[in-house]
């Protein structure tokens, strides 16, 4: 006889059930017979009148596969779509549901063929394996029973064991090859988003690690606990060793990301949940997987990119731990092709480092986001990477040829020989071009008619600074300070900020760095700072507007900048200034911080130069009043264009509608450049325009002499500058700007081609 509720009696009871299930797994009989016995056993054990298993069929349909308690005729007949009824809800959310009054729940869907109207309470959990919902396990009672947390936990553990049983029998596997074997062999083109630019050709290597868990139910829970603890210790040691590796050890954001990741290995909540699962009767590896399933289910419902990145870290650590438990660690680098393109659903930052960097040509992920940790590490290592590439994990076969086009965000599977040859040519010509740019690296950016042009880079990550010298740039024209804020867990304090800025200045050496104060808010949200929803974030409460409304934040940042630049020149500018009064208010805050530092006896910078971004058209109409007050001016052409044309810069539908080379934009630039020159105020353009050779050429024709751009653009822009006669160009531009056209792009392009200017 079973006790009234063994589950109520805690872990010992649930362990007995697991052992019985394990014996059932080993017993003979058809799958259906075994499933029938399983539901019977669970119902008895949990003292429920009903126990049912619903299996996920193709087309996201859940089918009643076995039941103790519901009418037998309903088995293989009752079907619910994902998100339909309570069973569908459990599958959709991949989360348990426990209800004393199930029929009162808005999702309850009555199926007359089941006869379930007499059962009031319901507890159901997803049956999950490798992050996928295979089905739903449900128990029901006539009375309005309140299922406790421990009962839900125990049922989840049972579902875990069941998942292995079901997968072993291949009973619930989806029908294979929904795309069809034939179409799988055809070339295919998949789209995603670029996480890191660059081209790669290689063969696909799926990032599965041969994780097969053969034993789910523990023979000896104490021994399992010990195995888990040992594996944890080994994993921590291996992580420490990896962090000490040469290519990883240098400073930069990727290093901080990895250190945070390492800290997660000590996360108490994570460890406790795994220990709980071991106490519940699972083996160490099954416990890790159970917690992983929960983590993945949470990930699926979380939109916040920061929290998702954290959960992805935990998932990654789970895989790593399984490797230690299953002794797979040593095999990892063996037999990998020389030119591998890694394919994964998602990757943790450390997982990327497990692969031999000399063989890894590119990475394609089903998930991933530009701010994800793995993308930051890929940029540091210069590995082309594409994310959000739906279908890649199922469509790319191991060893198949693959091309990663990080310029367009496309992946080409099984490309034809001619397509491959085309890409090989592009890679070779890019290499040649890079060499040509390297040749101009140490030459001055001077036009044919001896006009000097200052070329600077835009930066945000430490890694960008490493390009300062290779690019042959004279300094950093825009350092976006929000970037280091975006990858942290909490708002960095003054000292942490000062440390970041100090490192940047040290890295830049004698070259100037122009720091822009925080440009957050709107759509650039910090993960730890919940702004309220805004209908029109680009024109909302962002940048200096927040800085002036919350002066403590801005003052802390200014304080950090002053301290970091003690004894050397400090250049600061403010983002999104809309009128002169805002600039003066920001400047006053800076002055106040300087006075404070002096009063405290702190060392000040040798000189402090204050400027502003010019991104709002209204400010362009106040230059006469503004220029005498500021030391330099930076045109943010990205924002300026969106406000000038009232065209959201992030709306893909408007992406090409208005041309930066429009007479309106260029006339404005020409006017600003003239006023700055008249008042002797250095004027820089630092939006995307500055890094495109043709657009940069137009800017030079409008009188601009300072350009700040993405590091890889310096070579091409310098090459263009050196082929140019600036006086002739400005005459041509003046002529083009009198035309009533939408854009001067075509006449300007012809002008360049005729004169052999490299655009
Ligand atoms: C700009 O608006 O052109 C600019 C450089 O700033 P950001 O792209 O960071 O908004
Ligand atoms: Mg801007």
């Amino acid at each position: 006889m079973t006790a009234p509720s063994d589950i109520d009696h805690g872990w010992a009871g649930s362990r007995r059930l697991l052992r019985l299930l394990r014996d059932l797994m080993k017993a003979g009989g058809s799958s259906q017979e075994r499933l029938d016995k399983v539901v019977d056993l669970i119902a008895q054990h949990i003292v429920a009148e009903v126990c049912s298993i619903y299996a996920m069929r193709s087309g996201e349909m859940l089918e009643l596969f076995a039941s103790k308690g519901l009418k037998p005729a309903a088995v293989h007949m009752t079907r619910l779509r994902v998100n339909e009824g309570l069973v569908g809800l459990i599958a959709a959310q991949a989360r348990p549901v426990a209800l004393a009054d199930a029929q009162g729940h808005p999702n309850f869907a009555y199926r007359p063929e089941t006869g379930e109207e007499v059962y009031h309470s319901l507890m159901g959990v997803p049956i999950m394996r490798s992050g996928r919902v295979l089905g739903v396990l449900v128990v029901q009672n006539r009375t309005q029973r309140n299922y406790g947390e421990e009962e839900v936990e125990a049922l989840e553990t049972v579902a875990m064991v069941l998942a292995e049983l079901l997968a072993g029998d291949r009973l619930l596997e989806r029908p294979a090859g929904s795309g069809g074997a034939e179409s799988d062999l055809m070339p295919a083109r998949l789209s995603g988003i670029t996480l890191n630019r660059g081209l790669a050709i290689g063969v696909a290597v799926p990032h599965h690690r041969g994780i097969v868990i053969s034993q789910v139910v523990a023979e000896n829970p104490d021994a399992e606990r010990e195995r888990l603890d040992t594996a944890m210790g080994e994993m921590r040691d291996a992580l420490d060793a990896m962090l000490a590796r040469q290519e990883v050890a240098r400073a930069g954001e990727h290093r901080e990301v990895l250190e945070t990741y390492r800290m997660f290995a000590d996360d108490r909540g994570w460890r406790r949940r795994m220990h709980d699962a071991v106490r519940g009767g699972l083996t160490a590896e099954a416990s890790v997987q159970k917690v992983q399933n929960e983590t993945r289910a949470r990930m699926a419902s979380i939109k916040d990119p920061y929290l998702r990145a954290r959960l992805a870290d935990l998932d990654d650590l789970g895989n790593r731990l399984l490797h230690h438990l299953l002794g797979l660690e040593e095999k990892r680098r063996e037999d990998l092709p020389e030119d591998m393109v890694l394919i994964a659903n998602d990757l943790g930052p450390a997982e990327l480092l497990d692969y031999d960097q000399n063989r890894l040509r590119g990475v394609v992920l089903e998930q991933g986001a530009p701010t994800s940790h793995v993308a930051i590490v890929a940029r540091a290592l210069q590995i082309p990477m594409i994310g959000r590439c739906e279908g890649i994990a199922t469509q790319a076969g191991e060893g198949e040829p693959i091309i990663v086009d990080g310029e367009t965000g496309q992946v080409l599977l099984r490309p034809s020989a001619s397509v491959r040859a085309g890409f090989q040519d592009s890679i070779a010509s890019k290499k040649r071009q890079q060499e040509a740019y390297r040749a101009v690296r140490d030459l001055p950016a001077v036009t044919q008619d001896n006009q000097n042009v200052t070329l600077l880079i835009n930066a945000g990550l430490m890694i960008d600074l490493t390009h300062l010298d290779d690019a042959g740039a004279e300094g950093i024209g825009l350092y976006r300070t929000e970037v280091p804020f975006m990858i942290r867990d909490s708002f960095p304090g003054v000292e942490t900020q000062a440390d970041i800025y100090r490192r940047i200045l040290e890295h830049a050496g004698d070259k100037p760095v122009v720091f822009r104060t925080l440009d957050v808010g709107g759509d650039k949200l910090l993960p730890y700072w919940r702004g309220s929803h805004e209908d029109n974030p680009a024109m909302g409460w962002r940048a200096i507007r927040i800085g002036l409304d919350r002066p403590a934040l801005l003052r802390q940042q200014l304080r950090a900048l002053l301290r970091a630049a003690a004894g050397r020149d400090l250049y600061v500018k403010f983002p999104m200034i809309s009128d002169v009064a805002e600039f003066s208010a920001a400047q006053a805050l800076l002055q106040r911080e300087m006075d404070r530092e002096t009063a405290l006896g702190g060392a000040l910078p040798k000189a402090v130069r204050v400027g502003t971004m010019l991104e709002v058209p209204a400010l362009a109409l106040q230059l006469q009043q503004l220029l005498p007050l500021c030391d330099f001016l930076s045109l943010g052409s990205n924002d300026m264009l969106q406000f000038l044309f009232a065209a959201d810069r992030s709306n893909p539908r408007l992406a090409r509608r208005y041309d930066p080379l429009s007479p309106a934009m260029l006339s404005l630039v020409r006017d600003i450049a003239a006023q700055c020159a008249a008042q002797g105020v250095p004027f820089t353009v630092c939006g995307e325009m500055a890094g495109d050779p043709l657009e940069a050429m137009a800017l030079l024709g409008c009188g601009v002499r300072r350009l700040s751009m993405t590091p890889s653009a310096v070579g091409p822009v310098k090459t263009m500058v050196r082929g140019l006669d600036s006086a002739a160009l400005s005459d041509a531009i003046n002529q083009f700007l009198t035309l009533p056209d939408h854009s001067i792009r075509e006449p300007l392009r012809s002008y360049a081609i005729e004169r052999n200017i490299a655009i």
Side-chain angles (χ1 to χ4, degrees):
M1 263 305 282
T2 312
S5 169
D6 267 340
I7 293 266
D8 286 346
H9 295 159
W11 299 115
S14 85
R15 283 208 288 265
R16 190 140 60 86
L17 172 59
L18 296 188
R19 275 198 297 275
L20 291 169
L21 282 171
R22 183 195 54 196
D23 294 345
L24 239 176
M25 276 160 134
K26 290 181 185 157
S30 73
S31 298
Q32 185 67 46
E33 281 164 2
R34 283 194 282 166
L35 280 185
D36 291 341
K37 282 188 193 150
V38 165
V39 286
D40 202 41
L41 189 66
I42 299 172
Q44 257 191 54
H45 211 83
I46 293 188
V47 196
E49 282 88 23
V50 174
C51 175
S52 311
I53 294 173
Y54 292 81
M56 187 78 87
R57 310 307 290 156
S58 58
E60 304 287 275
M61 191 63 87
L62 289 149
E63 181 180 315
L64 180 62
F65 246 66
S67 181
K68 156 80 184 168
L70 296 184
K71 288 185 184 162
V75 174
H76 294 300
M77 191 182 134
T78 295
R79 289 178 169 209
L80 292 153
R81 282 189 306 280
V82 169
N83 224 353
E84 184 187 4
L86 291 167
V87 170
L89 182 72
I90 294 164
Q93 298 186 338
R95 284 224 192 112
V97 160
L99 300 165
D101 175 21
Q103 296 179 19
H105 190 281
N107 245 65
F108 181 77
Y110 176 52
R111 287 286 191 269
E113 73 274 12
T114 59
E116 66 182 329
E117 61 274 18
V118 295
Y119 304 110
H120 289 283
S121 51
L122 178 147
M123 165 167 69
V125 298
I127 303 171
M128 298 186 68
R129 193 163 191 266
S130 305
R132 237 180 59 197
V133 177
L134 299 182
V136 174
L137 173 64
V138 175
V139 295
Q140 289 171 277
N141 283 77
R142 271 178 203 277
T143 54
Q144 295 211 345
R145 178 169 165 184
N146 285 306
Y147 303 99
E149 229 173 76
E150 202 166 298
E151 287 173 305
V152 175
E153 275 267 314
L155 197 64
E156 282 185 306
T157 306
V158 171
M160 174 89 205
V161 175
L162 215 44
E164 297 306 313
L165 169 66
L166 300 175
D169 277 353
R170 300 187 153 266
L171 192 65
L172 306 185
E173 293 273 274
R174 284 183 186 185
S178 34
E182 227 174 295
S183 68
D184 282 352
L185 299 175
M186 304 281 282
R189 179 188 291 266
L190 303 179
S191 293
I193 56 166
T194 296
L195 301 185
N196 192 29
R197 294 176 64 167
L199 298 177
I201 300 185
V203 293
V205 174
H207 171 65
H208 60 65
R209 305 239 205 96
I211 293 173
V212 180
I213 296 179
S214 47
Q215 196 174 349
V216 179
V217 181
E219 303 282 350
N220 175 350
D222 290 337
E224 292 303 317
R225 190 190 158 99
E226 220 174 287
R227 285 185 64 226
L228 182 62
D229 290 342
T230 308
M232 288 259 207
E234 283 171 12
M235 178 183 77
R236 283 196 292 262
D237 291 348
L239 282 171
D240 289 339
M242 188 185 71
L243 276 165
R245 246 163 55 197
Q246 206 191 358
E247 74 265 29
V248 184
R250 65 196 157 86
E253 281 77 6
H254 69 286
R255 167 111 202 141
E256 285 169 40
V257 160
L258 291 168
E259 272 166 4
T260 315
Y261 171 90
R262 166 67 183 80
M263 267 162 49
F264 268 89
D266 293 325
D267 186 86
R268 278 212 208 149
W270 184 59
R271 278 165 38 196
R272 182 181 40 73
R273 279 183 290 143
M274 287 188 288
H275 281 141
D276 281 353
V278 168
R279 276 206 298 147
L282 295 180
T283 55
E285 44 272 53
S287 302
V288 177
Q289 214 170 47
K290 176 173 183 282
V291 173
Q292 250 185 332
N293 283 339
E294 291 159 9
T295 308
R296 287 173 183 166
R298 277 181 65 204
M299 250 157 80
S301 60
I302 284 178
K303 296 257 178 322
D304 183 314
Y306 173 79
L307 284 179
R308 281 182 68 91
R310 288 286 172 256
L311 290 175
D313 284 352
L314 277 185
D315 188 46
D316 182 17
L317 283 167
N319 280 336
R320 199 166 280 277
L321 197 49
L322 284 172
H323 267 260
H324 287 281
L325 279 165
L326 298 169
L328 298 171
E329 199 61 18
E330 298 311 313
K331 292 184 195 149
R332 205 170 287 164
R333 289 176 192 225
E334 275 175 19
D335 301 329
L336 290 175
E338 287 295 329
D339 51 353
M340 58 174 287
V341 170
L342 190 61
I343 310 292
N345 180 40
D346 207 351
L347 272 182
E351 279 182 307
L352 189 61
L353 294 168
D354 286 337
Y355 290 91
D356 183 350
Q357 305 305 307
N358 295 320
R359 295 167 185 238
L360 191 57
R361 300 279 173 272
V363 180
V364 187
L365 305 176
E366 289 254 352
Q367 320 237 338
T371 50
S372 64
H373 295 161
V374 71
I376 292 171
V377 175
R379 266 172 241 144
L381 301 175
Q382 299 186 352
I383 301 168
M385 183 182 270
I386 290 182
R388 305 229 191 106
C389 187
E390 218 175 298
I392 189 69
T394 47
Q395 291 196 45
E398 182 152 10
E400 284 183 345
I402 179 170
I403 293 175
V404 179
D405 183 350
E407 304 300 315
T408 62
Q410 307 251 351
V411 178
L412 305 171
L413 286 176
R414 302 171 288 275
S416 65
S418 60
V419 169
R420 274 172 77 155
F423 269 87
Q424 252 142 6
D425 282 354
S426 310
I427 291 178
S429 91
K430 264 216 148 81
K431 242 192 184 144
R432 277 196 304 274
Q433 235 175 22
Q434 289 302 336
E435 275 153 23
Y437 297 146
R438 223 166 284 141
V440 296
R441 192 182 69 176
D442 300 321
L443 299 177
V446 60
T447 62
Q448 295 282 320
D449 55 338
N450 276 328
Q451 287 283 313
N452 284 318
V453 178
T454 305
L455 301 184
L456 306 154
I457 62 165
N458 295 343
L461 291 172
M462 271 308 273
I463 185 74
D464 297 327
L465 271 94
T466 57
H467 303 309
L468 188 55
D469 290 328
D470 359 308
E474 290 181 44
I476 296 177
L478 167 64
Y479 181 84
R480 292 179 164 106
T481 57
E482 59 275 10
V483 179
F485 279 67
M486 284 160 116
I487 59 160
R488 281 186 162 66
D489 303 2
S490 55
F491 216 94
V494 175
E495 273 321 307
T496 310
Q497 287 187 52
D499 258 7
I500 300 171
Y501 307 142
R502 211 171 278 126
R503 270 194 282 147
I504 291 158
L505 288 167
E506 272 161 20
H507 213 107
D510 293 339
K511 297 182 172 173
V513 180
V514 181
F515 289 96
R516 178 176 75 185
T517 62
L518 270 187
D519 184 3
V520 293
D523 52 355
K524 281 194 212 167
L525 287 179
L526 299 179
Y528 38 85
W529 187 10
R530 308 254 163 259
S532 54
H533 169 79
E534 296 191 350
D535 285 341
N536 213 337
M539 293 203 258
W541 195 55
R542 61 175 272 206
I544 197 66
R545 299 168 184 181
I546 296 180
L548 294 177
D549 291 355
R550 299 272 187 278
L553 287 183
L554 182 54
R555 283 182 54 195
Q556 279 184 14
Q557 186 175 32
L558 294 170
R559 198 174 306 159
L561 285 167
L562 288 168
R563 287 183 189 169
R568 51 181 292 168
D569 290 346
L570 173 66
Y571 297 83
V572 189
K573 62 180 167 185
F574 302 107
M576 284 288 288
I577 293 280
S578 303
D579 66 16
V580 177
E582 278 182 350
F583 176 72
S584 303
Q587 209 179 19
L589 285 180
L590 177 60
Q591 188 57 52
R592 207 166 136 188
E593 281 310 311
M594 287 169 66
D595 295 345
R596 183 175 183 276
E597 288 299 296
T598 312
L600 290 173
L604 283 181
K606 213 159 57 180
V608 179
R609 307 205 194 282
V610 196
T612 176
M613 295 290 290
L614 175 54
E615 296 164 293
V616 182
L619 190 65
L621 300 172
Q622 276 202 301
L623 291 187
Q624 286 306 316
Q625 295 77 25
L626 176 73
L627 292 178
L629 304 178
C630 63
D631 296 316
F632 61 92
L633 191 67
S634 298
L635 175 69
S637 56
N638 306 336
D639 274 316
M640 180 55 91
L641 276 161
Q642 78 164 340
F643 298 129
L644 200 59
F645 284 105
D648 183 349
R649 75 192 242 194
S650 57
N651 184 337
R653 281 181 146 175
L654 300 177
R656 303 204 187 288
R657 191 174 186 103
Y658 303 102
D659 197 334
L661 298 187
S662 62
M665 179 67 177
L666 293 176
S667 304
L668 178 68
V669 172
R670 189 178 54 180
D671 184 46
I672 300 166
Q675 292 197 55
C676 287
Q679 302 228 22
V681 174
F683 172 52
T684 307
V685 177
C686 60
E688 294 306 308
M689 275 182 91
D692 175 279
L694 183 68
E695 293 173 13
M697 180 174 132
L699 294 171
L700 296 173
C702 293
V704 177
R705 291 292 177 267
R706 296 169 60 86
L707 300 166
S708 189
M709 65 202 77
T710 185
S712 60
V714 175
V717 170
K718 193 187 277 188
T719 309
M720 176 273 293
V721 167
R722 291 177 57 83
L724 201 72
D725 179 331
S726 73
L729 173 68
S730 104
D731 289 347
I733 292 263
N734 286 339
Q735 175 64 29
F736 296 149
L737 290 187
T738 59
L739 301 171
D741 294 349
H742 174 72
S743 159
I744 69 159
R745 186 170 294 272
E746 285 321 311
L748 192 64
R749 193 195 301 280
S750 307
Y751 176 93
I753 292 170
E754 277 160 23
R755 285 160 187 77
N756 233 346
I757 300 167
I759 45 158

